[in-house]
Amino acid sequence: MLTLSRVVLHPTYRGAGIGYRFIRRCCELTGYPWIETLTQMGHVNPVFERAGFRRVGVSRTVERSRASHSLLYRRQKHGQKAALLTRETYDKSRFANPVYYIFDNRAHAARHGPASGGR
């Protein structure tokens, strides 16, 4: 599974339909069968739904340690601990309720083969 994060489009081009088309096409070309993302903006901007992602749920605010909160945003590598969010990011986002989305890319992944790089 691949995690998509930090999609930013210059304000001049927002609202023109570029973002969701770009996200969808990039996902289709990855070769990964499943792609996930967490975004606070999912509450107000449907860009991921328009790109074909399914809204799975919302992370609810609970008091979390920096380590447990970091797990929401960073995957653990095999046999390694997940990297911690910076203190600044933790302080800004610890009360966030990000929306969790997943993209079913199995049809395109089969056509494009395995993604380059390790999975």
Side-chain angles (χ1 to χ4, degrees), residues 56-115:
V56 177
V58 175
S59 171
R60 296 287 174 217
T61 299
V62 294
E63 188 60 37
R64 300 181 191 98
S65 69
R66 189 169 156 209
S68 66
H69 186 65
S70 296
L71 290 173
L72 284 174
Y73 296 95
R74 299 202 172 152
R75 286 219 168 265
Q76 214 170 339
K77 306 263 192 231
H78 297 287
Q80 296 177 347
K81 289 183 178 182
L84 288 178
L85 295 171
T86 65
R87 171 56 74 183
E88 180 182 18
T89 299
Y90 171 70
D91 288 341
K92 287 183 197 175
S93 68
R94 67 185 172 148
F95 298 110
N97 293 310
V99 179
Y100 177 66
Y101 293 99
I102 195 158
F103 184 78
D104 182 352
N105 195 43
R106 290 176 289 181
H108 289 93
R111 262 187 273 150
H112 292 284

Coordinates of all heavy atoms in Angstrom, one line a residue, residues 56-115:
V56 N -13.3 6.4 4.0 CA -13.5 5.2 4.8 C -13.9 5.6 6.2 O -14.7 4.9 6.9 CB -12.1 4.5 4.9 CG1 -12.2 3.3 5.8 CG2 -11.7 4.0 3.5
G57 N -13.4 6.7 6.7 CA -13.7 7.1 8.1 C -13.0 8.4 8.5 O -12.3 9.0 7.7
V58 N -13.2 8.7 9.8 CA -12.5 9.9 10.3 C -11.8 9.5 11.6 O -12.4 8.8 12.4 CB -13.6 11.0 10.6 CG1 -13.0 12.2 11.3 CG2 -14.3 11.4 9.4
S59 N -10.6 10.0 11.8 CA -9.9 9.8 13.0 C -10.4 10.7 14.1 O -10.5 11.9 13.8 CB -8.4 10.0 12.8 OG -7.7 10.0 14.0
R60 N -10.9 10.2 15.2 CA -11.5 11.0 16.2 C -10.4 11.5 17.2 O -9.5 10.8 17.5 CB -12.5 10.3 17.0 CG -13.7 9.8 16.2 CD -14.6 11.0 15.8 NE -15.6 10.7 14.9 CZ -16.0 11.4 14.0 NH1 -15.5 12.6 13.8 NH2 -17.0 11.0 13.2
T61 N -10.6 12.8 17.6 CA -9.7 13.4 18.6 C -9.7 12.6 19.9 O -10.8 12.5 20.5 CB -10.0 14.9 18.8 OG1 -9.8 15.5 17.5 CG2 -9.0 15.5 19.8
V62 N -8.6 12.2 20.3 CA -8.4 11.6 21.7 C -7.1 12.1 22.1 O -6.2 12.5 21.3 CB -8.5 10.1 21.7 CG1 -9.8 9.6 21.4 CG2 -7.4 9.5 20.8
E63 N -6.8 12.2 23.4 CA -5.5 12.6 23.8 C -4.5 11.5 23.5 O -4.6 10.4 23.9 CB -5.5 12.9 25.3 CG -4.3 13.5 25.9 CD -4.0 14.9 25.2 OE1 -4.9 15.6 25.0 OE2 -2.8 15.1 25.0
R64 N -3.6 11.9 22.6 CA -2.6 10.9 22.2 C -1.2 11.4 22.5 O -0.9 12.6 22.5 CB -2.6 10.8 20.6 CG -3.8 10.3 20.0 CD -3.6 10.2 18.5 NE -4.9 10.0 17.8 CZ -5.6 11.0 17.3 NH1 -5.2 12.2 17.3 NH2 -6.7 10.7 16.7
S65 N -0.3 10.5 22.7 CA 1.1 10.8 22.8 C 1.6 11.2 21.5 O 1.0 10.9 20.4 CB 1.9 9.7 23.4 OG 2.0 8.6 22.4
R66 N 2.8 11.8 21.4 CA 3.4 12.2 20.1 C 3.7 11.0 19.3 O 3.5 11.0 18.1 CB 4.7 13.0 20.4 CG 5.3 13.6 19.2 CD 6.4 14.6 19.6 NE 7.4 14.8 18.6 CZ 8.6 15.1 18.8 NH1 9.1 15.2 20.0 NH2 9.4 15.2 17.8
A67 N 4.1 9.9 20.0 CA 4.4 8.6 19.2 C 3.2 8.0 18.6 O 3.1 7.7 17.5 CB 5.1 7.6 20.2
S68 N 2.1 8.0 19.4 CA 0.9 7.3 18.8 C 0.2 8.2 17.8 O -0.3 7.8 16.8 CB -0.1 7.0 19.9 OG -0.6 8.1 20.6
H69 N 0.3 9.5 18.0 CA -0.2 10.5 17.0 C 0.6 10.4 15.7 O 0.0 10.4 14.6 CB -0.2 11.9 17.5 CG -0.9 12.9 16.6 ND1 -2.2 12.9 16.3 CD2 -0.4 13.9 15.9 CE1 -2.5 13.8 15.5 NE2 -1.4 14.5 15.2
S70 N 1.9 10.2 15.8 CA 2.7 10.0 14.6 C 2.4 8.8 13.8 O 2.5 8.9 12.5 CB 4.2 9.9 15.0 OG 4.6 11.1 15.7
L71 N 1.9 7.8 14.4 CA 1.5 6.6 13.7 C 0.3 6.9 12.7 O 0.1 6.2 11.7 CB 1.1 5.5 14.6 CG 2.2 4.9 15.4 CD1 1.7 3.9 16.4 CD2 3.2 4.2 14.5
L72 N -0.5 7.9 13.0 CA -1.6 8.2 12.1 C -1.1 8.7 10.7 O -1.7 8.5 9.7 CB -2.4 9.4 12.6 CG -3.4 9.1 13.7 CD1 -4.0 10.4 14.2 CD2 -4.5 8.1 13.3
Y73 N 0.1 9.3 10.7 CA 0.6 10.0 9.5 C 1.8 9.3 8.9 O 2.2 9.5 7.8 CB 1.0 11.4 9.8 CG -0.2 12.3 10.2 CD1 -0.6 12.5 11.5 CD2 -1.0 12.8 9.2 CE1 -1.7 13.2 11.8 CE2 -2.2 13.5 9.5 CZ -2.5 13.7 10.8 OH -3.6 14.4 11.1
R74 N 2.5 8.5 9.7 CA 3.7 7.8 9.2 C 3.6 6.4 9.4 O 3.4 5.9 10.5 CB 4.9 8.4 9.9 CG 5.0 9.9 9.6 CD 6.4 10.4 9.9 NE 6.5 11.8 9.4 CZ 7.4 12.6 9.9 NH1 8.2 12.2 10.9 NH2 7.4 13.8 9.4
R75 N 3.9 5.6 8.4 CA 3.9 4.2 8.4 C 5.1 3.6 9.1 O 6.2 4.2 8.9 CB 3.8 3.6 7.0 CG 2.4 3.7 6.5 CD 2.1 2.5 5.7 NE 0.8 2.4 5.4 CZ -0.2 1.8 6.1 NH1 0.2 1.2 7.2 NH2 -1.4 1.8 5.7
Q76 N 5.0 2.5 9.8 CA 6.1 1.9 10.4 C 6.7 1.0 9.3 O 6.1 0.3 8.6 CB 5.6 1.0 11.5 CG 6.5 0.9 12.7 CD 5.9 0.2 13.9 OE1 4.6 0.2 14.0 NE2 6.7 -0.3 14.7
K77 N 8.0 1.0 9.2 CA 8.8 0.2 8.3 C 9.0 -1.2 9.0 O 9.0 -1.3 10.2 CB 10.1 0.8 7.9 CG 10.1 2.2 7.4 CD 10.1 2.2 5.9 CE 10.3 3.6 5.4 NZ 9.5 4.1 4.5
H78 N 9.1 -2.2 8.2 CA 9.3 -3.5 8.8 C 10.5 -3.5 9.8 O 11.6 -3.2 9.4 CB 9.6 -4.6 7.7 CG 8.4 -4.7 6.8 ND1 7.3 -5.4 7.1 CD2 8.3 -4.3 5.5 CE1 6.4 -5.3 6.1 NE2 7.0 -4.7 5.1
G79 N 10.2 -3.9 11.0 CA 11.2 -4.0 12.0 C 11.7 -2.6 12.6 O 12.7 -2.6 13.3
Q80 N 11.1 -1.5 12.1 CA 11.6 -0.2 12.6 C 10.4 0.5 13.2 O 9.3 0.3 12.9 CB 12.1 0.6 11.4 CG 13.3 0.1 10.7 CD 13.7 0.9 9.5 OE1 13.0 1.8 9.1 NE2 14.9 0.7 9.0
K81 N 10.8 1.5 14.1 CA 9.7 2.4 14.6 C 9.4 3.4 13.6 O 10.2 3.9 12.8 CB 10.2 3.0 15.9 CG 10.4 2.1 17.1 CD 10.8 2.9 18.3 CE 11.0 2.0 19.5 NZ 11.3 2.7 20.7
A82 N 8.1 3.9 13.7 CA 7.7 5.0 12.8 C 8.4 6.3 13.3 O 8.6 6.5 14.5 CB 6.2 5.2 12.8
A83 N 8.8 7.1 12.3 CA 9.4 8.4 12.7 C 8.4 9.3 13.4 O 7.2 9.3 13.0 CB 9.9 9.0 11.4
L84 N 8.9 10.0 14.4 CA 8.0 10.9 15.1 C 7.8 12.2 14.3 O 8.6 12.6 13.5 CB 8.7 11.4 16.4 CG 8.7 10.3 17.5 CD1 9.4 10.9 18.7 CD2 7.3 9.9 17.9
L85 N 6.6 12.7 14.4 CA 6.3 14.0 13.9 C 7.1 15.0 14.6 O 7.4 14.8 15.8 CB 4.8 14.4 14.0 CG 3.8 13.5 13.3 CD1 2.4 13.9 13.8 CD2 3.9 13.7 11.8
T86 N 7.4 16.1 14.0 CA 8.2 17.2 14.7 C 7.3 17.7 15.8 O 6.0 17.6 15.8 CB 8.5 18.4 13.8 OG1 7.3 19.0 13.3 CG2 9.4 17.9 12.6
R87 N 7.9 18.3 16.8 CA 7.1 18.9 17.9 C 6.1 19.9 17.4 O 4.9 19.9 17.9 CB 8.1 19.5 19.0 CG 7.4 20.3 20.1 CD 6.4 19.5 20.9 NE 7.0 18.6 21.8 CZ 6.2 17.8 22.6 NH1 4.9 17.9 22.5 NH2 6.8 16.9 23.4
E88 N 6.5 20.7 16.5 CA 5.7 21.8 15.9 C 4.5 21.2 15.2 O 3.3 21.6 15.4 CB 6.5 22.7 15.0 CG 5.6 23.8 14.4 CD 6.4 24.6 13.4 OE1 7.5 24.1 12.9 OE2 5.9 25.7 13.1
T89 N 4.7 20.1 14.4 CA 3.6 19.5 13.7 C 2.6 18.8 14.7 O 1.4 18.9 14.5 CB 4.1 18.5 12.7 OG1 4.9 19.2 11.7 CG2 3.0 17.7 12.0
Y90 N 3.2 18.2 15.7 CA 2.4 17.5 16.7 C 1.5 18.5 17.4 O 0.3 18.3 17.6 CB 3.3 16.8 17.7 CG 2.5 16.3 18.9 CD1 1.6 15.2 18.8 CD2 2.7 16.9 20.2 CE1 0.9 14.8 19.9 CE2 2.0 16.4 21.3 CZ 1.1 15.3 21.1 OH 0.4 14.9 22.2
D91 N 2.1 19.7 17.8 CA 1.3 20.7 18.5 C 0.2 21.3 17.6 O -0.9 21.6 18.1 CB 2.2 21.8 19.0 CG 3.1 21.4 20.1 OD1 2.8 20.4 20.8 OD2 4.1 22.1 20.4
K92 N 0.4 21.4 16.3 CA -0.6 21.9 15.4 C -1.7 20.9 15.1 O -2.8 21.3 14.9 CB 0.0 22.3 14.1 CG 0.9 23.6 14.2 CD 1.3 23.9 12.8 CE 2.5 24.9 12.7 NZ 3.0 25.0 11.4
S93 N -1.3 19.6 15.0 CA -2.3 18.7 14.5 C -2.8 17.7 15.5 O -3.7 16.9 15.2 CB -1.6 17.9 13.4 OG -0.6 17.0 13.9
R94 N -2.5 17.7 16.8 CA -2.9 16.7 17.7 C -4.4 16.7 18.0 O -4.9 15.8 18.5 CB -2.1 16.8 19.0 CG -2.3 18.0 19.8 CD -1.4 18.1 21.0 NE -1.5 19.3 21.7 CZ -1.3 19.5 23.0 NH1 -1.1 18.4 23.7 NH2 -1.4 20.7 23.5
F95 N -5.1 17.8 17.7 CA -6.5 17.9 17.9 C -7.3 17.8 16.6 O -8.5 17.9 16.5 CB -6.9 19.1 18.6 CG -6.4 19.2 20.0 CD1 -5.4 20.1 20.3 CD2 -6.8 18.3 21.0 CE1 -4.8 20.2 21.6 CE2 -6.2 18.3 22.2 CZ -5.2 19.3 22.5
A96 N -6.5 17.4 15.5 CA -7.2 17.3 14.2 C -7.9 16.0 14.1 O -7.7 15.0 14.8 CB -6.1 17.3 13.1
N97 N -8.9 15.9 13.2 CA -9.7 14.8 13.0 C -9.6 14.5 11.5 O -10.6 14.7 10.7 CB -11.2 15.0 13.4 CG -11.4 15.1 14.8 OD1 -10.9 14.3 15.6 ND2 -12.0 16.2 15.2
P98 N -8.5 14.0 11.0 CA -8.3 13.8 9.5 C -9.3 12.7 9.0 O -9.6 11.8 9.6 CB -6.9 13.4 9.4 CG -6.5 12.8 10.7 CD -7.3 13.5 11.7
V99 N -9.7 13.0 7.7 CA -10.5 12.0 7.0 C -9.6 11.0 6.4 O -8.5 11.3 5.8 CB -11.3 12.7 5.9 CG1 -12.2 11.7 5.2 CG2 -12.2 13.8 6.6
Y100 N -9.9 9.7 6.5 CA -9.1 8.6 5.9 C -9.8 8.2 4.6 O -11.0 7.9 4.5 CB -9.1 7.4 6.9 CG -8.3 6.2 6.3 CD1 -7.0 6.3 6.1 CD2 -9.0 5.0 6.1 CE1 -6.3 5.2 5.6 CE2 -8.3 3.9 5.6 CZ -6.9 4.0 5.4 OH -6.3 2.9 4.9
Y101 N -9.0 8.2 3.5 CA -9.5 7.8 2.2 C -8.6 6.7 1.6 O -7.4 6.6 2.0 CB -9.3 9.0 1.2 CG -10.2 10.1 1.4 CD1 -9.7 11.3 2.0 CD2 -11.5 10.1 1.0 CE1 -10.5 12.4 2.3 CE2 -12.3 11.2 1.2 CZ -11.8 12.3 1.8 OH -12.6 13.4 2.0
I102 N -9.2 5.9 0.8 CA -8.5 4.8 0.1 C -8.9 4.8 -1.4 O -10.0 5.0 -1.7 CB -8.7 3.4 0.8 CG1 -7.6 2.4 0.3 CG2 -10.1 2.9 0.6 CD1 -7.4 1.3 1.3
F103 N -7.9 4.5 -2.2 CA -8.1 4.4 -3.7 C -7.9 3.0 -4.1 O -6.8 2.4 -3.9 CB -7.2 5.4 -4.4 CG -7.4 5.5 -5.9 CD1 -8.4 6.2 -6.4 CD2 -6.5 4.9 -6.7 CE1 -8.6 6.3 -7.8 CE2 -6.6 5.0 -8.1 CZ -7.7 5.7 -8.6
D104 N -8.9 2.4 -4.8 CA -8.7 1.0 -5.3 C -8.1 1.1 -6.7 O -8.8 1.5 -7.7 CB -10.1 0.3 -5.4 CG -10.0 -1.1 -5.9 OD1 -9.0 -1.5 -6.4 OD2 -11.1 -1.8 -5.8
N105 N -6.9 0.8 -6.8 CA -6.1 0.9 -8.1 C -5.8 -0.4 -8.7 O -4.9 -0.5 -9.5 CB -4.9 1.8 -7.8 CG -4.2 2.3 -9.1 OD1 -4.9 2.8 -10.0 ND2 -2.9 2.2 -9.1
R106 N -6.5 -1.5 -8.3 CA -6.1 -2.8 -8.7 C -6.1 -3.0 -10.2 O -5.2 -3.6 -10.8 CB -7.0 -3.9 -8.0 CG -6.7 -4.0 -6.5 CD -7.6 -4.9 -5.9 NE -8.9 -4.3 -5.8 CZ -10.0 -4.9 -5.2 NH1 -9.8 -6.1 -4.7 NH2 -11.1 -4.3 -5.2
A107 N -7.1 -2.4 -10.9 CA -7.2 -2.5 -12.4 C -6.0 -1.9 -13.0 O -5.4 -2.5 -13.9 CB -8.5 -1.9 -12.9
H108 N -5.6 -0.7 -12.6 CA -4.4 0.0 -13.2 C -3.1 -0.7 -12.8 O -2.2 -0.7 -13.6 CB -4.4 1.5 -12.9 CG -5.5 2.2 -13.6 ND1 -6.8 2.4 -13.0 CD2 -5.6 2.7 -14.8 CE1 -7.5 3.1 -13.9 NE2 -6.8 3.3 -15.0
A109 N -3.0 -1.1 -11.5 CA -1.8 -1.7 -11.0 C -1.5 -3.0 -11.8 O -0.3 -3.2 -12.2 CB -1.9 -2.1 -9.6
A110 N -2.5 -3.7 -12.2 CA -2.3 -5.0 -13.0 C -1.7 -4.6 -14.4 O -0.9 -5.3 -14.9 CB -3.6 -5.7 -13.1
R111 N -2.2 -3.5 -14.9 CA -1.7 -3.1 -16.3 C -0.3 -2.5 -16.2 O 0.5 -2.7 -17.1 CB -2.7 -2.0 -16.9 CG -3.6 -2.6 -17.8 CD -4.4 -1.6 -18.5 NE -5.6 -1.3 -17.6 CZ -6.2 -0.2 -17.5 NH1 -5.8 0.9 -18.2 NH2 -7.2 0.0 -16.7
H112 N 0.0 -1.7 -15.2 CA 1.3 -1.0 -15.1 C 2.4 -1.8 -14.4 O 3.5 -1.4 -14.4 CB 1.1 0.4 -14.5 CG 0.3 1.3 -15.3 ND1 0.8 1.9 -16.4 CD2 -1.0 1.7 -15.2 CE1 -0.1 2.7 -16.9 NE2 -1.2 2.5 -16.2
G113 N 2.0 -3.0 -13.9 CA 3.0 -3.8 -13.2 C 3.4 -3.2 -11.9 O 2.9 -2.1 -11.4
P114 N 4.3 -3.8 -11.2 CA 4.8 -3.4 -9.9 C 5.4 -2.0 -10.0 O 6.1 -1.7 -10.9 CB 5.8 -4.4 -9.4 CG 5.9 -5.4 -10.5 CD 5.0 -5.0 -11.6
A115 N 5.2 -1.2 -9.0 CA 5.8 0.1 -8.9 C 7.3 0.0 -8.7 O 7.8 -0.9 -8.2 CB 5.2 0.9 -7.7

